[in-house]
Amino acid sequence: MKRLLVLSWVLMGSLSFGQSEKDVTVKRTLKLMGTRFEITVVAPNEEIGYININEAVSEIKRIEKIISSWDETSETSLVNNNAGIQPVKVSSELFGLVERAKKISEITDGAFDISYASMDRIWKFDGTMDRAPSEKAIQLSISKIGHEKIILDYNERTIFLSETGMRIGFGAIGKGYAADRAKELLVSKQVKGGIINASGDLTTWGTKTTGEKWLVGIANPLSKEKVFSWLPVVESSVATSGNYEKYIVLNGKKYSHIIDPRSGYPTSGVHSVSVFAKYAELCDALATAVFIMGKDSGIHLINQIDGVEVVVVDSDNKIHKSSGIMFNNNP
């Protein structure tokens, strides 16, 4: 589950002349892609604002029809249904998304992997599990996972899952991608500013109606109702992975519901990860990857990627950050 520690968006900085005094802020909250979306736009009036939001909703629904593994008519389902059988010709949009996902798998050594959808669900986080599955069951559950088994043919624009029973899923990248595309659409229509929050995968552009910056609040790990620090998100995105609600405790050790696709075991040692970058798609994927990789390896990776930053809260509620993060406790 993705959950962004955003308590509110506030104002900072001096006024700019980028917005008209007559502009209004329009927001709508709804369920899309099986999760909560909040779409906020700056518009000349409410009517235009709601028209803009409806256009963004239509774009998100269009993307869902392509990447949903629950919709049997989607391109993704067609790819999954032909696993081990034959390559499937797909749209350039889906091909590009899978191509980028594979590249993220490579730089994260498989901590992020869209073939995680092949995993058997042997871990239960509903309170019914009192012991870990057997090692044999765990290894069997991940036997079909591996980004290298996703074969892309660039000439034919096909995707082939090389083993029967393989599946791909976009749960750790799809909402971020949809947020990016909805933002791109609204920017192309000269919408001056806004926020698209896809259940914790958040992207912004422009400014508030006053011309001041959007800020995101990172919650204090010891008190979720208090802000530890405010960070500006200017023409940028942020995504957070956390283990607040879904976890288990076995032999006194807490395990997250986020499973390492390489080992088949739940992750431990990290409480939350917030990744900042230009695109929500990248934030989404890297937040999951860093959570799985752990504090030290994850921050080391982020420090090597230009334009990407991270804040990690470990299991002892200590806060760690990449080299480019500057905390601001007083917005």
Side-chain angles (χ1 to χ4, degrees):
M1 171 181 287
K2 300 285 186 184
R3 180 182 171 193
L4 182 64
L5 304 180
V6 178
L7 301 186
S8 63
W9 295 283
V10 300
L11 311 178
M12 70 170 283
S14 58
L15 292 175
S16 82
F17 297 98
Q19 309 286 10
S20 163
E21 290 183 3
K22 296 181 180 180
D23 287 338
V24 298
T25 302
V26 181
K27 182 169 77 170
R28 185 179 173 195
T29 301
L30 64 164
K31 189 172 183 179
L32 295 166
M33 301 178 73
T35 193
R36 175 189 172 96
F37 270 71
E38 284 186 355
I39 303 174
T40 304
V41 298
V42 172
N45 57 60
E46 282 196 2
E47 181 180 4
I48 292 175
Y50 283 116
I51 290 171
N52 291 333
I53 290 173
N54 288 339
E55 290 177 327
V57 169
S58 295
E59 175 69 355
I60 293 165
K61 288 180 176 178
R62 183 191 69 80
I63 292 165
E64 184 177 19
K65 287 292 293 182
I66 296 172
I67 69 173
S68 173
S69 55
W70 301 105
D71 183 347
E72 284 300 317
T73 65
S74 73
E75 284 190 79
T76 299
S77 290
L78 188 60
V79 171
N80 288 340
N81 292 339
N82 282 278
I85 301 172
Q86 62 183 355
V88 175
K89 191 173 185 66
V90 299
S91 64
S92 57
E93 186 169 13
L94 182 62
F95 190 91
L97 180 59
V98 172
E99 179 187 16
R100 294 191 300 276
K102 279 175 62 69
K103 288 179 179 176
I104 295 171
S105 294
E106 291 170 4
I107 67 171
T108 61
D109 293 324
F112 171 84
D113 195 325
I114 59 172
S115 69
Y116 80 93
S118 312
M119 188 185 303
D120 294 330
R121 302 297 191 264
I122 60 174
W123 294 91
K124 307 294 182 184
F125 297 90
D126 56 4
T128 61
M129 176 171 276
D130 58 4
R131 69 187 67 182
S134 68
E135 179 65 24
K136 182 178 179 180
I138 290 171
Q139 293 307 312
L140 184 62
S141 77
I142 62 171
S143 60
K144 298 184 185 302
I145 295 176
H147 61 91
E148 70 282 351
K149 300 176 184 178
I150 304 172
I151 311 302
L152 301 182
D153 186 321
Y154 289 83
N155 293 324
E156 299 295 326
R157 207 175 67 209
T158 60
I159 301 173
F160 180 49
L161 307 183
S162 61
E163 292 189 17
T164 303
M166 278 189 71
R167 292 175 60 83
I168 56 174
F170 298 98
I173 194 172
K175 293 190 298 297
Y177 174 65
D180 283 337
R181 290 304 302 264
K183 168 184 170 179
E184 182 181 341
L185 174 68
L186 293 180
V187 170
S188 75
K189 293 181 177 295
Q190 285 77 53
V191 177
K192 295 178 180 179
I195 301 172
I196 297 174
N197 184 356
S199 190
D201 302 329
L202 181 151
T203 190
T204 76
W205 73 101
T207 63
K208 294 282 286 186
T209 55
T210 56
E212 294 172 303
K213 299 175 183 178
W214 307 105
L215 289 186
V216 61
I218 303 297
N220 187 320
L222 299 178
S223 175
K224 300 300 181 294
E225 301 305 314
K226 296 180 180 179
V227 172
F228 169 77
S229 183
W230 296 96
L231 295 169
V233 186
V234 182
E235 306 292 336
S236 188
S237 306
V238 59
T240 295
S241 286
N243 66 347
Y244 312 102
E245 292 146 350
K246 294 179 70 176
Y247 59 87
I248 54 175
V249 178
L250 298 175
N251 298 321
K253 187 174 183 180
K254 184 177 179 179
Y255 294 92
S256 164
H257 73 287
I258 299 175
I259 308 293
D260 187 335
R262 303 166 298 183
S263 68
Y265 282 89
T267 55
S268 61
V270 174
H271 195 59
S272 74
V273 173
S274 298
V275 173
F276 297 79
K278 183 175 181 180
Y279 297 107
E281 172 191 314
L282 184 61
C283 293
D284 197 358
L286 288 179
T288 299
V290 171
F291 200 102
I292 290 169
M293 296 171 73
K295 169 179 64 71
D296 294 334
S297 296
I299 292 177
H300 178 70
L301 169 69
I302 297 301
N303 279 335
Q304 298 178 72
I305 306 175
D306 288 340
V308 181
E309 302 294 342
V310 67
V311 175
V312 177
V313 180
D314 67 22
S315 56
D316 294 321
N317 288 323
K318 293 180 180 178
I319 297 176
H320 312 267
K321 61 185 179 64
S322 56
S323 57
I325 290 283
M326 300 295 289
F327 285 132
N328 175 18
N329 298 318
N330 299 294

